[in-house]
Amino acid sequence: MYSVFRNLAIIMISAKFFGLVARKCKAPQVVGEIIAGLLIGPCLLNLVHTSDTIEIFAEIGVVLLMFTTGLGTNLKELLRAGPIATLVACVGGGTLLYSLFYGFSAVGSPEFYKALFIGTIMTATSVSITVATLQELGHLKSFLGTTIVSAAVIDDVIGIVVLT
């Protein structure tokens, strides 16, 4: 029972500490938080083990972050960014990168679909990390921020569809 509170304390203290260190290094706080997770998790120091309770708290954190993002999102701006965001999500860097290495193929050919599939896998994003970074930098409510978040969401939906 007490190990859950110990683990939560270790997670919160190390995430805050490394987040502040990342900010001092002019990097987004989320970078420091990810580094903290790598350090205290099973990869390196093994101070915190994944458990059902920790996973539930993590999911609650992501839900709260996305909910607050939704509260601050302007639907008119989202719709205005829609066409550009869709273009960014569909053309995506992964498909382009794959095509640069292995050659461009005609639309509808097996090689084109292979490039599209590999590109979809390569460009999967974590919307919550994107949102946290844009929010910290103060660009979440700008047109660029809205376009990036919209493209990330569309990209993830396309990825789910293509992979299923």
Side-chain angles (χ1 to χ4, degrees):
M1 173 69 177
Y2 294 111
S3 65
V4 171
F5 294 117
R6 181 186 72 82
N7 286 344
L8 285 174
I10 291 171
I11 290 168
M12 289 173 24
I13 290 168
S14 62
K16 190 62 177 173
F17 174 76
F18 283 100
L20 292 173
V21 169
R23 188 186 291 172
K24 288 279 186 194
C25 296
K26 305 271 192 253
Q29 226 174 300
V30 72
V31 172
E33 293 165 355
I34 291 171
I35 291 170
L38 289 170
L39 284 174
I40 65 172
C43 285
L44 292 173
L45 299 177
N46 204 18
L47 295 175
V48 176
H49 301 282
T50 304
S51 67
D52 291 339
T53 308
I54 298 295
E55 287 183 17
I56 288 170
F57 277 111
E59 288 177 22
I60 290 170
V62 170
V63 167
L64 289 174
L65 176 66
M66 298 309 289
F67 182 75
T68 55
T69 302
L71 285 176
T73 301
N74 184 340
L75 190 57
K76 289 180 183 176
E77 288 291 319
L78 195 65
L79 292 173
R80 197 167 68 112
I84 297 170
T86 304
L87 180 66
V88 169
C90 291
V91 175
T95 303
L96 182 64
L97 189 62
Y98 179 87
S99 297
L100 286 173
F101 279 105
Y102 296 103
F104 291 89
S105 302
V107 175
S109 70
E111 273 302 309
F112 172 78
Y113 288 119
K114 184 176 180 181
L116 191 62
F117 183 77
I118 298 296
T120 302
I121 292 170
M122 289 172 56
T123 57
T125 59
S126 173
V127 177
S128 57
I129 291 176
T130 304
V131 166
T133 303
L134 287 170
Q135 194 170 31
E136 184 178 333
L137 296 174
H139 296 298
L140 184 61
K141 294 186 179 186
S142 68
F143 180 73
L144 179 63
T146 304
T147 304
I148 291 170
V149 171
S150 300
V153 169
I154 293 167
D155 193 35
D156 285 355
V157 170
I158 290 171
I160 290 168
V161 169
V162 168
L163 295 176
T164 55

